[in-house]
Amino acid sequence: MHASCIIAPEILLPAANIDLYKWAVIACDQHTSDPQYWETVESIVSEQPSTLRLTLPEIYLSESEELIQKIAAAMKDYRKANVFRKLPKGFVLVERKTKISPIRYGIVLAVDLEQYSYEKHSDAAIRATEATILERIPPRLKIRKAAEIEFPHILLLYDDPEDIVLGDLKKNADLPLLYDTELNMGGGHIRGKFISDTKKVIDSFSKIEKDGLLFMVGDGNHSLATAKEAWNQIRKTLTEKERETHPARYALCEAVNLYDSGITFEAIHRVVKGVDPKKFLQGLLPFGTGEGAVYVGGEKRPFGVADDVPAAVAGVDTYISKYIAEFGGEVDYIHGEEELRSLTEQNSDCVGIYLPKMNKADLFALVKQYGSLPRKTFSMGESEEKRYYIEGREIKK
């Protein structure tokens, strides 16, 4: 094994005179129901250079036609104004601190989209952890096709309990410092260091690759799926030789050890709205001896689910879909048990279904067993811990 899905990119960073506090903003798929969050970010950034101008928060996805052109224009303007500096080929060691996690380490690198698949059952080196909703790709594809630079919020997970890949790098005080800044909106603190010895890192990844599998997509699967689809369209227009080096063949990501103390898995619960709770519960029969629960009127009742989390999620989701198709209603996804309880207390036409948390150490084995897991089987940490845009990479020649 040679971890051949990894390449060393030429990463774009903001120039030394750019205010990083205003430059870095959180992943576009966060706070999709909170316009106040993005209005506050807007006031922080003001007229200064920022990745807010180079990405599209998904809360504004319905207005994307006009905003896509603005993003493409901003990229060109920033390049003319020398907002970017280009690093030599290499990786970035990222140290991220938040109020929730003392520290999380990651490594920014590029991966070969030819070796990524979001199919449910795949033997690719890079695989999706959950089902990909194909309808989510086209609007995101328009954004990528118009852009000449990518800014990733993708987090790839790798299975390295002995910390073979980053163990020595974390202790290396001689790595050149690239950036060091507080993040706006409670995102904590981030520091990036340059790694020039990419061969040594790639060799370390080779040591942990098992049965052809190296990475699972922890966050940003639809982003990576969009990059894959964009490449599939471009590759048709190229010769074999051109395909080997075309920048759109690769995608910039941050890879994080599954066993890093800053990576936590949380359950994602279901709340079904606009239903008759009594009628809904009549058909909801226990699936097994796993520890689940239902909430009605703010009261918690034990409810047996399947013993392993993916099967529990699949069973609950199948029933919810069948019920809604027959009787109506809608489903939403809730991250905290208290919020689940509160919603059912405040709304008499709601039923909450509490699901157990998945052990993160089981992830790779479960995906090998089931293929990609049911949608929203788990969440990685809290919103403030999600990736902020800092690094970019050219995706057009």
Side-chain angles (χ1 to χ4, degrees):
M1 297 295 181
H2 304 290
S4 59
C5 62
I6 301 172
I7 68 156
E10 293 179 315
I11 291 172
L12 296 178
L13 285 178
N17 63 327
I18 302 300
D19 184 345
L20 289 175
Y21 184 80
K22 297 181 179 182
W23 174 260
V25 298
I26 203 167
C28 66
D29 60 349
Q30 298 300 301
H31 305 286
T32 54
S33 300
D34 186 1
Q36 182 60 52
Y37 178 95
W38 293 104
E39 288 166 13
T40 304
V41 174
E42 183 72 41
S43 67
I44 290 170
V45 168
S46 187
E47 301 300 318
Q48 297 301 307
S50 174
T51 52
L52 184 63
R53 309 294 175 223
L54 308 175
T55 55
L56 179 58
E58 292 190 3
I59 193 172
Y60 306 125
L61 205 54
S62 61
E63 311 164 33
S64 61
E65 291 297 334
E66 181 181 351
L67 292 173
I68 287 170
Q69 300 309 314
K70 287 185 176 180
I71 290 168
M75 288 180 179
K76 294 182 185 300
D77 290 344
Y78 280 15
R79 297 185 88 164
K80 288 178 184 176
N82 295 318
V83 168
F84 299 111
R85 57 180 168 133
K86 184 185 286 188
L87 302 179
K89 287 185 178 181
F91 302 142
V92 176
L93 177 68
V94 177
E95 301 174 8
R96 175 77 181 277
K97 298 178 180 180
T98 70
K99 63 182 180 183
I100 300 159
S101 299
I103 193 162
R104 181 181 80 209
Y105 289 93
I107 184 166
V108 177
L109 43 74
V111 294
D112 185 355
L113 292 166
E114 293 274 323
Q115 298 192 54
Y116 156 70
S117 173
Y118 55 79
E119 299 297 326
K120 180 172 177 60
H121 296 284
S122 169
D123 60 0
I126 309 163
R127 303 177 199 174
T129 50
E130 66 171 33
T132 302
I133 310 302
L134 298 181
E135 294 78 12
R136 296 187 65 188
I137 294 178
R140 291 157 181 79
L141 186 59
K142 290 182 181 178
I143 300 167
R144 189 170 181 91
K145 288 170 82 170
E148 55 189 52
I149 304 170
E150 64 174 352
F151 292 90
H153 65 265
I154 300 158
L155 281 179
L156 300 179
L157 298 173
Y158 60 91
D159 191 8
D160 185 13
E162 296 178 14
D163 205 14
I164 292 169
V165 174
L166 290 187
D168 290 340
L169 286 166
K170 293 176 188 176
K171 305 169 192 171
N172 189 342
D174 295 328
L175 293 177
L177 184 66
L178 295 170
Y179 56 79
D180 191 347
T181 185
E182 288 292 315
L183 295 169
N184 58 49
M185 302 299 291
H189 192 96
I190 193 165
R191 183 162 61 167
K193 297 177 180 179
F194 186 64
I195 301 171
S196 57
D197 190 353
T198 57
K199 183 182 182 302
K200 185 176 180 181
V201 174
I202 292 172
D203 288 346
S204 295
F205 273 114
S206 298
K207 293 174 183 176
I208 65 166
E209 190 172 346
K210 297 172 186 172
D211 302 320
L213 173 61
L214 182 57
F215 293 124
M216 297 282 190
V217 185
D219 269 341
N221 184 60
H222 287 89
S223 223
L224 197 57
T226 299
K228 171 82 171 187
E229 181 54 31
W231 167 240
N232 284 343
Q233 293 183 13
I234 291 169
R235 77 189 303 279
K236 295 174 187 175
T237 69
L238 306 174
T239 66
E240 282 294 332
K241 187 170 182 58
E242 289 170 333
R243 288 173 188 170
E244 290 176 9
T245 57
H246 196 286
R249 174 172 172 161
Y250 305 94
L252 200 63
C253 307
E254 181 180 342
V256 182
N257 188 356
L258 178 65
Y259 292 90
D260 189 288
S261 60
I263 294 293
T264 58
F265 277 21
E266 302 296 338
I268 304 180
H269 313 299
R270 275 58 173 161
V271 63
V272 189
K273 306 173 184 176
V275 298
D276 176 343
K278 185 176 180 181
K279 186 174 185 179
F280 182 88
L281 292 176
Q282 280 177 345
L284 184 63
L285 303 176
F287 297 108
T289 58
E291 294 184 1
V294 294
Y295 276 93
V296 177
E299 295 184 4
K300 183 177 184 179
R301 310 175 190 176
F303 173 68
V305 295
D307 291 323
D308 70 81
V309 175
V313 171
V316 166
D317 284 352
T318 298
Y319 175 75
I320 291 173
S321 296
K322 183 178 177 183
Y323 184 93
I324 289 175
E326 190 170 354
F327 301 110
E330 61 177 317
V331 63
D332 199 1
Y333 304 92
I334 307 299
H335 288 77
E337 184 176 4
E338 175 53 30
E339 184 179 356
L340 190 72
R341 186 204 63 77
S342 178
L343 278 169
T344 64
E345 183 178 49
Q346 295 169 22
N347 300 280
S348 60
D349 63 347
C350 282
V351 176
I353 302 177
Y354 170 88
L355 288 162
K357 179 167 67 172
M358 191 172 96
N359 183 343
K360 69 178 185 178
D362 295 337
L363 177 66
F364 275 63
L366 287 171
V367 172
K368 285 179 181 178
Q369 178 182 352
Y370 288 104
S372 54
L373 306 179
R375 184 168 176 250
K376 296 190 180 295
T377 297
F378 66 93
S379 170
M380 279 194 354
E382 302 296 333
S383 178
E384 297 95 322
E385 298 175 274
K386 301 299 182 182
R387 198 164 195 285
Y388 275 58
Y389 300 114
I390 296 180
E391 297 89 353
R393 188 185 69 91
E394 295 166 341
I395 54 175
K396 287 187 177 177
K397 284 194 171 181

